[in-house]
Amino acid sequence: MSTSREQIMGRVQAALAPLPQRAARPDWDRDLVILRQAHGLTDPWPLFAERLKAVNGTPLTSVTELVALLGKNNWKHGYCDPALWPQLSGAFPSGFTVETTYDRTRVDDYAFGLTAAAGAIAETGTLILTDNGTSSRLGALAPWVHIAVLHRNQIHHDIPSAVAALPADPNIIWVTGPSKTADVEGILIEGVHGPGRQVALLVD
Amino acid sequence: MATQLIDQFAKNLAPDTKAAVYDGSKKGHEKRTQLLFDTYADPNRLREIAGEIKQHVIENLDTYLPAVEAKLQANGVKVHWAATGDDACAAVRDIMQARGLRKIVKAKTMVSEEIELEHYLNKHGIETLETDLGEFIVQIDHDHPSHIVKPIIHKNRREIAQSFEREGLGAYNDDPATITARARQFLRHKYLAADVALTGANFVSVESGRLVIVTNEGNSRFCLAATKCHIALVGIEKLVPNDRDLGLLLNLLGRSATAQQLTVYTEFVSGPKSATQPDGPEEMHVIFVDNGRTDVLASDCRDILRCIRCGACLNVCPVYRQASGHAYRSVYPGPVGAVLSPLLAGKKFPEFADLPKASSLCGACHEVCPVNIPIPDLLLRLREKGKREGAPLAAAGTPPMGAWAVLASQPAAWKVALFGGKILNFLPTNLIPVPALRAWEAKRTLPEWRGGEFRAWFKNRPKP
């Protein structure tokens, strides 16, 4: 029996055999795709914060600000990466319930999820999450608010640099703002399946 | 003279639908142009390079396909091959039945539409649920998507609210925010109860074996966080040589599709979840699908395999804007569909032979294409193919040219006809009982017939 694999490979070879020559792979200059503002940055955080705001994300520089934001909106029940909780718990007053194991049977209970960012991209306001660096895929996704904890030295200036630094990890996610759709009459609505509020928390 | 099917469809389109499609596609195009030209000094250079990268890939699939297979296997992914749509459907079923799995949550895959997977799986007792908001609405309405990235561009909020009410998702409410919130609440529990995540892939890097899956809503993320088994359906043309080239293609995809610098979620998936991760698939399968693509590769229209499914050519096309996606009677609408659908149809080519004529050849689709596909040239090649094969639909809307062909191929007959044509000058042509001619003559005057004068001049001209 000729398998699908053999059939496909045979057909591909037969289709390409008559070509007098094959198209070469073009070389291209990485500067071509880099945003003007991302050239010659010293500190990438200000550009990152500006670009994140441009996609309706929320850049924060202190845990106190974060706690104020959560408290003001009555987002009191959340999930936190067990590795991060010891350093953050001190800033959370009583009244907050924070779990360090995400229970998928109670998906509606969590208003926020706190996990570690593996990096960021300044020119696009993008947060980078990895599978090895994220304590729970669901904890970073299902709550209304996601907070990614980020260090300044993790921020790439531009997309080509971030691509060049893609780690060996089975599931890397570039997150550029809150989950959104414009399927209904082209009107922008945030928070479809993922977070309606995307926060980047800088800890130095 | 029969009118073209697509003209008939456009004529019968409800005014609401036409307005929705026209406004949606026009807005999409304007935002794209603004963003591309604001960001880059020379966006056209990017399109050219991206086109060269993809052309290089499709002309070297004989080396890239075995290479990506080896890389994926090394990453712990099971690779399957499907020569036809039926083979692909059977491959999904086999994977699921062997493991006793019954429920699929789907992030958008065009290939699954192409091979009519849902219908097939439902027949075999497997449940499928669309999770992209637009695709979900299409599914509950038993409708078809009408745009590659905006599947319900043809629907308004009132129709959607009625569908939600009918499906028990709450009392009538046509506020888009409420519609979205209800879908969010309903679908998250469905993800968690599902066995399998079915996705497509926008790109696959041969170098690393990473599948790139982009969504704005986060539905592919939820599928891949909630389920234990991931199956990806991937057309064999989706390969990219290496990760570096993704840096260029991703910049173009988001901007061309939805005028975003990047789509909200760009996911690089190269295998089952990591050992320390509690959520996500323990198994990953990639099914490479041919389903007519190798025939396209063998044809003189292989450039269309560069397509990255952004929908920019739909948004800019004057015919698409008037006719909407359903007029193309196939999974891929608009200019790209007018090329791809007849080609992928294989033996059923004659059923789609009119689509290449659904274009004024204005060239706007070529100008916006992020991979620089010369769509108007390909449309002309397909028109020629339709004529050569005598497909009746290829002739729809064309005046009969048989008599002219006889004359034009016989010099003696041509000469007689040129001379004999002088008789027209003495005929009361406005009385000829052909409605089309009479309508034409009512507004215009025929010029005097002067047949044969060029020939006479040419024959008698002074020779050097």
Side-chain angles (χ1 to χ4, degrees), chain B residues 46-61:
Chain B
L46 265 64
R47 299 192 309 115
E48 285 164 17
I49 297 167
E52 288 167 21
I53 293 171
K54 288 289 292 187
Q55 189 72 17
H56 164 75
V57 167
I58 61 172
E59 293 190 9
N60 290 278
L61 279 177

Side-chain angles (χ1 to χ4, degrees), chain B residues 161-162 164-166 168-174 178-179 182:
Chain B
Q162 282 159 11
F164 270 45
E165 190 179 23
R166 187 192 64 225
L169 293 170
Y172 181 94
N173 186 322
D174 63 11
T178 306
I179 289 171
R182 285 175 175 176

Side-chain angles (χ1 to χ4, degrees), chain A residues 5 23 136-137 172 179 194, chain B residues 59 69 184 217 224 268 279:
Chain A
R5 186 185 187 282
S136 162
R137 286 190 192 187
I172 301 162
S179 155
Chain B
E59 293 190 9
E69 177 187 40
R184 174 184 172 96
E217 298 181 2
L224 293 181
F268 302 84
D279 312 320

